[in-house]
Amino acid sequence: MGVSEGRIRNLVVGLVVRDGHVLLEEYPGDAWQGSFLRALGGGLEFGERVVEGLSREFREELDVEVEAVRSLGCLDNIFTWQGRPAHEVVHVFEVASPGFDAWPVERRVRVPDAPTQAGWWPIAELDGRDVYPDGIIDIIRSLEEDR
């Protein structure tokens, strides 16, 4: 996750909602926490615009070109990660890609350089799951309602 004590991480994530499902990344459990889901994306690099970082992250993680459809807001989270204080500001976008239109809902794709996989998750089954960043479930549900 790249959490650094005493530093605010600036992140960008993208959401795709289709047929009652949302595209998320699943992280395995570890000694600190059980498995959890996270919106796809990652940290911004210095000098990189938010939309550029969003596109880069989806290329790196899924080899898919995305279009930022619209900004869905920003989340400001202060939390503890593996016993250390952490702070992140997360820019959230709705994204689209013809590549995702062809993905069947049961498809899972391994994310390079991470012990994770991306896939479609039923929105109705997110209750009771750990889904990050904090506040993202409300944004996912608002996207589903827009459909």
Side-chain angles (χ1 to χ4, degrees), residues 15-142:
L15 295 173
V16 182
V17 171
R18 185 183 90 195
D19 301 325
H21 291 74
V22 61
L23 191 62
L24 297 171
E25 187 173 2
E26 183 178 35
Y27 283 72
D30 62 20
W32 293 92
Q33 176 174 345
S35 69
F36 62 93
L37 300 171
R38 183 180 170 276
L40 287 152
L44 290 171
E45 296 175 359
F46 183 79
E48 182 176 55
R49 298 199 181 277
V50 175
V51 174
E52 293 167 353
L54 180 67
S55 295
R56 177 186 49 75
E57 286 290 337
F58 273 83
R59 269 193 311 277
E60 290 175 359
E61 293 178 4
L62 299 177
D63 196 27
V64 173
E65 294 295 327
V66 296
E67 171 190 347
V69 175
R70 65 180 162 141
S71 173
L72 299 172
C74 195
L75 300 169
D76 183 13
N77 292 313
I78 299 171
F79 57 99
T80 300
W81 177 255
Q82 297 184 345
R84 296 162 71 195
H87 187 176
E88 63 186 17
V89 174
V90 186
H91 306 270
V92 183
F93 285 83
E94 178 181 12
V95 298
S97 172
F100 294 136
D101 296 341
W103 277 30
V105 293
E106 60 279 346
R107 182 174 184 191
R108 296 284 187 263
V109 174
R110 188 183 174 292
V111 175
D113 300 327
T116 64
Q117 61 180 352
W120 297 105
W121 297 89
I123 294 170
E125 296 176 16
L126 295 180
D127 288 335
R129 294 282 319 251
D130 288 328
V131 183
Y132 297 105
D134 287 339
I136 200 77
I137 289 179
D138 291 336
I139 296 172
I140 292 168
R141 288 202 175 103
S142 71

